[in-house]
Amino acid sequence: MNTNPIYLALDFPRLETAEAVARKVAGHIGGLKLGLEFFCAHGHHGVHEIAKIGLPIFLDLKLHDIPNTVAGAMQAIHVLEPSIVTVHAGGGRAMMEDAKAAAGEHCKVVGVTLLTSLDEGDMAATGIGGTAHDQVMRLADLAHSSGLDGIVCSGHEVAAVHSQWKDGFFVVPGLRPADPHGKGSHGDQKRTVTPRQARDAGASVLVIGRPIARAEDPVAAARAIEGTL
Ligand code: C5P
């Protein structure tokens, strides 16, 4: 079994580019993440093409609709045999329960809590009071009690969520490898989390895009990250 926790985010508009990058680094990662943009552009055909590489597929579709529609969408992607699919935890208990019930036996259904593009001002504008942290913890709790396998969370949140959901499956994006020289492109960023730190804090899956996909040498970049885990 492949136990490498790195899922490479294939955020490329062209299918051929996504496929070429994935094939190059396939030996150093554990799976491939395809997002909404890829799915809208290339659909089932695109997923089938990428699946030929032979790695597990994470469909990051962030589904959010009435329970019946989300269950129908989950059934419609059965044939693609994704290993992970995302739904919005804000869609509520019935939606999450139905999404999980409609998922394939080996598919992890994972809840998106609060998009990192939203701050507390945006929350207040949609009628949600309190802090972003409280909202993440509240939705994590709801996802757990609704039968989901886990949630998507940042490297800063994973330890707190893990402490209250011991056997949860936690997908962590937004990671940046440590800079061996202590400076350079990420050296001035104070709040980055490395893949190793996220793993140590309880992450099950490490979503990594640009640090590998846009590196001058993607294979060397993937191998270097793999070596730190
Ligand atoms: O930044 P990077 O290219 O590694 O992002 C990889 C993936 O993680 C992207 O598909 C992006 O949409 C997602 N991401 C996220 N939340 C963040 C940062 C990135 O969902 N805070």
Side-chain angles (χ1 to χ4, degrees), residues 130-162:
T131 67
H133 179 78
D134 290 346
Q135 179 66 358
V136 169
M137 298 308 280
R138 185 182 303 129
L139 288 174
D141 226 27
L142 183 63
H144 189 186
S145 67
S146 302
L148 292 201
D149 295 286
I151 61 162
V152 180
C153 57
S154 81
H156 299 287
E157 294 152 356
V158 66
V161 183
H162 187 234

Side-chain angles (χ1 to χ4, degrees), residues 9 11 33 116 173-174 176 207-211:
D11 297 321
K33 182 179 92 84
T116 52
R176 290 295 174 264
V207 173
I208 301 176
R210 287 163 292 180

Side-chain angles (χ1 to χ4, degrees), residues 10 15 18-19 32-61 76-84:
L10 287 177
L15 175 56
E19 202 180 336
L32 296 164
K33 182 179 92 84
L34 300 172
L36 194 52
E37 183 184 349
F38 180 96
F39 197 70
C40 288
H42 306 295
H44 281 216
H45 165 73
V47 180
H48 280 305
E49 289 304 305
I50 296 294
K52 286 180 189 164
I53 296 167
L55 287 170
I57 299 289
F58 171 5
L59 288 182
D60 188 13
L61 302 179
I77 57 174
H78 259 182
V79 62
L80 301 173
E81 298 182 351
S83 61
I84 310 169

Side-chain angles (χ1 to χ4, degrees), residues 161-184:
V161 183
H162 187 234
S163 73
Q164 69 170 46
W165 187 351
K166 292 289 181 208
D167 60 346
F169 183 83
F170 302 116
V171 173
V172 178
L175 302 168
R176 290 295 174 264
D179 181 342
H181 308 297
K183 47 183 193 254

